[in-house]
Amino acid sequence: MRTREEIEKDMYALFVGGCQDRIMTIEEHKHRNTMLGKYREELDKLDMLEKTNTNNKIKDKK
């Protein structure tokens, strides 16, 4: 599984590279939205995994 930093770096890369300097095509816009959705899903899974690990640590301490 990728780290939070890697995912955020990829998300940032979608917004650089000239896409703000010109009008995006429909295909570019769809691709960016699709990739953002995938990266958000990865971040949600990572958050859930971190929360589960934290809850397990708390249970182990009790």
Side-chain angles (χ1 to χ4, degrees), residues 9-20 24 32-33 36 40:
K9 181 181 174 184
D10 287 344
M11 288 177 78
Y12 176 75
L14 291 174
F15 293 97
V16 296
C19 69
Q20 302 301 325
M24 292 176 63
R32 186 171 73 175
N33 287 341
L36 281 174
R40 287 182 184 140

Side-chain angles (χ1 to χ4, degrees), residues 22-55:
R22 59 181 174 77
I23 298 173
M24 292 176 63
T25 65
I26 297 293
E27 290 80 19
E28 289 171 327
H29 188 67
K30 286 180 181 178
H31 173 72
R32 186 171 73 175
N33 287 341
T34 301
M35 295 308 293
L36 281 174
K38 289 181 180 182
Y39 295 148
R40 287 182 184 140
E41 284 180 23
E42 284 186 67
L43 285 174
D44 289 343
K45 289 178 184 177
L46 189 61
D47 288 340
M48 188 171 30
L49 182 64
E50 289 173 354
K51 186 175 181 181
T52 302
N53 287 341
T54 303
N55 287 342

